[in-house]
Amino acid sequence: MADFRAYQPSFTAGELSPALWARVDLSKYGSGLQTAINVFVHPHGGVSNRAGLQFVHELKSSANAGRLIKFQFNTEQTYILEFGNNYIRVFRDGGLVLSGGIPYEVVTTYTAADVQDLVFVQEADVLYLCHVNHPVRKLGRLADNNWTLTAVTFLPLIGPPAGAPTVTRPGDTSGQPGYVATTYRYKVSSVADSGEESLPSNAGSVVNDLAIQGGRNRVTWAAVAGAVRYIVYREDNGIYGYVGGTTGLTFDDENITPDLADTPQSARNPFNAAGNYPRCVTFIEQRLAFASTINDPQAVWLSQSANYENFGVSSPAKASDAVTFRIRARQVNEIRSMIAVRGLLLLTSGSEWIVTGGSTSDAISPSAIKLDNQGYRGAAKVQPIVVGNTVLFPQRQGGVVRDFSYDYSQDSYVGKDLTILARHLFVGREIKAWDYSQAPDSVVWVVLDDGALVSLTYMKEQDVWAWTRHQSGPDNDAYFEDVTCIEEDGEDVPYFIVRRTINGQVKRYIERLHTRSFDTVADAFFVDCGLTYSGAPVTTINGLAHLEGQSVVALSDGNVVRNMTVTGGSVTLPNAGSIIHIGLPMTAAIQTLSLDLGNVQGLGTVQGRNKSVSEVTLRVERTRGIFLGSKDGERGSSHLVEYKQRSTEAWNEAIGLHTGDISITPQWDWNKSGNMWVKQFDPLPMTILAIMPDVTLGR
């Protein structure tokens, strides 16, 4: 009879670094794992094997790296954009968009190397693209197969009246006593329905003397398409000031005093030449913000309020004018990213700053700018992501991920190192790409520079941050190069670029993480680089040329079929099936930490003592196909014992999924750790909610 039963009801600490395997004093030790491969942690504590990767398409050229960028107009119209060497291709709902039967493409000047450093921000149907070596461009969507890529001119979207206004003097005072011939000069601007004002027109003039009673000048101009109003300015000592506005095409000046505090704007394009192209972009307070050029790495430019492509200014400045400022600090550290959170967060290569309007203003404006330093960690080039109201960003050095949020008690932004418990996953590595999948499980998917893929389940309010790692391919040789997440069918779906060796050739594939939501076991998708057949019962599956020569596994009507090799783009199943998922096999595994039972019945610590696990009870949810043992092993290994749900397997009735407690008797063994491996070799779902081993201590 066992001495006691251990109990691990949660896995919310994820895989812990070997440096922590002795830290039984940590609260997270009791919810941690020694190994977590191809699984993810649920915020509520359970751990599940990840769904399979569904094959979408090969990159246009597998010889060149690519980049995936999301474009989401609303919850129904979402796209994945494949940026490659001088092209963009478009994917919608997991399929490549065609035009005239061939893949639709947009020609670009971005090389395969350039696309890795593109920074973007979206507003409605427009995606603004920044690269430090290229002019700012915007990608506009007109239809699924009709996109435009144009350079941003940084001018008002509405033009001024053509030429110069005509100025006449219906109130001619030239014959009056005391007449002094005075030249009056006028400019006119147009105003769009959006409220944006154009640049001023050329100047029109007339000679008159408005100081004499009855003096009047009439200004007339040409209509401008899209204008709903016009503004008239008059010169006073070399400065043009506001004298009036009208919805018509004429304006009478009866010696109105120009308001020199309200002047027409001057055109300005800060990004007009090589060396002046910005490296990052975001939106803040209805302004489009750019930052950090080669020539001015600490500068920030904000557009006019609500006029994203207008960086014009007036003198004196108006509150709605464009804003320019620079970080003044001990070191010249380039701004690498910006994000709007309670102000404008600037992440530089050596420090973090918050920009606000200060205590006297709610908004940033030309006359209200306050910069506050928030630390000296330094950020990597990878753009930050936002989870709720918390910013996650990778540090410049050490492969560290930090969270960053406002703390009222300290009146500053604070955060913690989210990689401290899983440092082994990041030693000698840097984050290459990442994105956040909010639904359904709040997971950050992270691609490292050596091709590894890891995931972080993050829920700050529940103090959950749990890392796991992921592998794919026959020898775990898949090399992940990029990831982005887009909403599809009520979930945030990760899309990956995966580099694989197929039949001796290097291929770069776009693959998407399949949903883990399914009604029956026949709908479960747990194969990689896989496809699904649904239709009349068949034994031969074609269309598998992307897996030529590979050993594949299938789930056919809920039954597992192993040891098939793709030949000529097809495989033959031993029995016909109507719902068949087929692809590369994937093994999911967890290994518990060494048992720590605290001061159990006065025994003191059990660390380092011989112990034997006679039986293990697993609390599972919608699970089938578990293997368990005290030692690692492959299918068929004597170290692992399979839980048998049924002794026979009928093709017309697949084994169902189990929810509840199951008990497995592992191979007898004495060891000092008492930890257990739980593995899933088959393309079937596995969710572990708790592990309860019965333990006997050595005397």
Side-chain angles (χ1 to χ4, degrees), residues 385 391-395 397-403 415-420 423 426 431 434 444 446 448 456 458 465 467:
I385 57 179
V391 176
L392 306 187
F393 74 93
Q395 281 186 199
Q397 294 177 324
V400 173
V401 174
R402 303 194 69 85
D403 64 3
K416 58 180 174 290
D417 180 354
L418 297 179
T419 55
I420 188 68
R423 186 72 77 214
F426 299 90
I431 293 177
W434 64 347
V444 179
V446 183
L448 303 177
L456 167 68
Y458 181 79
W465 77 93
W467 292 97

Side-chain angles (χ1 to χ4, degrees), residues 103-120:
Y104 175 75
E105 289 188 10
V106 179
V107 176
T108 79
T109 59
Y110 302 120
T111 66
D114 290 336
V115 300
Q116 307 305 318
D117 295 321
L118 284 175
V119 178
F120 59 92

Side-chain angles (χ1 to χ4, degrees), residues 607-627:
Q607 291 283 309
R609 292 185 61 176
N610 281 326
K611 51 188 74 74
S612 176
V613 177
S614 57
E615 188 175 66
V616 177
T617 299
L618 301 174
R619 186 158 295 163
V620 301
E621 181 182 22
R622 305 194 72 202
T623 295
R624 180 180 139 198
I626 289 180
F627 290 76

Side-chain angles (χ1 to χ4, degrees), residues 438-487:
Q438 176 174 288
D441 289 294
S442 191
V443 176
V444 179
W445 295 92
V446 183
V447 172
L448 303 177
D449 60 354
D450 65 347
L453 175 67
V454 296
S455 64
L456 167 68
T457 301
Y458 181 79
M459 189 167 284
K460 181 178 180 179
E461 60 269 28
Q462 301 298 329
D463 197 32
V464 173
W465 77 93
W467 292 97
T468 60
R469 49 197 168 104
H470 302 269
Q471 300 170 345
S472 182
D475 299 310
N476 299 322
D477 57 353
Y479 192 102
F480 291 86
E481 294 187 335
D482 196 20
V483 60
T484 193
C485 299
I486 195 75
E487 183 176 347

Side-chain angles (χ1 to χ4, degrees), residues 626-694:
I626 289 180
F627 290 76
L628 182 141
S630 60
K631 297 180 180 178
D632 191 14
E634 299 300 320
R635 175 189 287 277
S637 167
S638 61
H639 300 309
L640 298 176
V641 176
E642 181 180 8
Y643 175 71
K644 301 289 187 181
Q645 287 183 248
R646 194 168 67 194
S647 59
T648 60
E649 200 170 285
W651 277 89
N652 61 353
E653 186 182 351
I655 298 174
L657 303 177
H658 182 74
T659 297
D661 290 355
I662 62 174
S663 295
I664 304 176
T665 301
Q667 294 290 336
W668 182 87
D669 182 38
W670 285 95
N671 58 63
K672 295 184 181 298
S673 66
N675 56 15
M676 284 287 137
W677 283 89
V678 181
K679 304 190 82 170
Q680 172 64 285
F681 296 103
D682 292 325
L684 293 165
M686 176 185 74
T687 296
I688 309 297
L689 302 179
I691 295 180
M692 297 165 273
D694 293 332

